[in-house]
Amino acid sequence: MVLRLVLVLALCGTAGLRAAIPADPSLEELNAAFRTAYAQARYGAADRLGPVLVMTGDKLVLLRDQVQVAEALVRPPAFHRLKALAHVPLAIRLAAKPWVDRPLEPAGVAA
């Protein structure tokens, strides 16, 4: 049954599924109850956690009691410049693609 539902979601998308399955108030109530219980459990778990480190972009953020207490730059701007340089060989390969991977024409071969 679950596999069929996954296949229907994959093939039709959720818009098609909404049209195929009529609205059921009891399922909506069940979903709302689940979301409430999940939110309570999530906040309860967050209260029991110690300090938390979160990586966001180039920064590492320290959270304590769900409040940001510190932030540090962990990838300096030089990282992005070096990464751009590292992409140069790939860019050259892609630019040369029309002339690579095909046999030379007779006019291009030295005698």
Side-chain angles (χ1 to χ4, degrees), residues 36-109:
T36 300
Y38 179 71
Q40 291 171 347
R42 189 177 69 226
Y43 288 119
D47 290 339
R48 290 188 301 276
L49 290 176
V52 176
L53 288 173
V54 178
M55 181 76 174
T56 123
D58 293 343
K59 297 176 188 170
L60 194 59
V61 177
L62 173 63
L63 302 173
R64 186 173 289 129
D65 297 324
Q66 300 183 30
V67 176
Q68 180 175 333
V69 294
E71 174 179 302
L73 184 64
V74 291
R75 277 193 213 135
F79 168 82
H80 296 288
R81 290 191 295 273
L82 291 171
K83 184 174 66 169
L85 287 174
H87 289 150
V88 169
L90 177 60
I92 292 170
R93 172 69 171 99
L94 292 174
K97 180 101 174 105
W99 299 280
V100 181
D101 297 334
R102 67 176 194 196
L104 289 175
E105 295 176 11
V109 178

Side-chain angles (χ1 to χ4, degrees), residues 1-11:
M1 180 68 176
V2 173
L3 182 57
R4 265 192 258 169
L5 179 61
V6 169
L7 288 173
V8 168
L9 283 172
L11 295 174

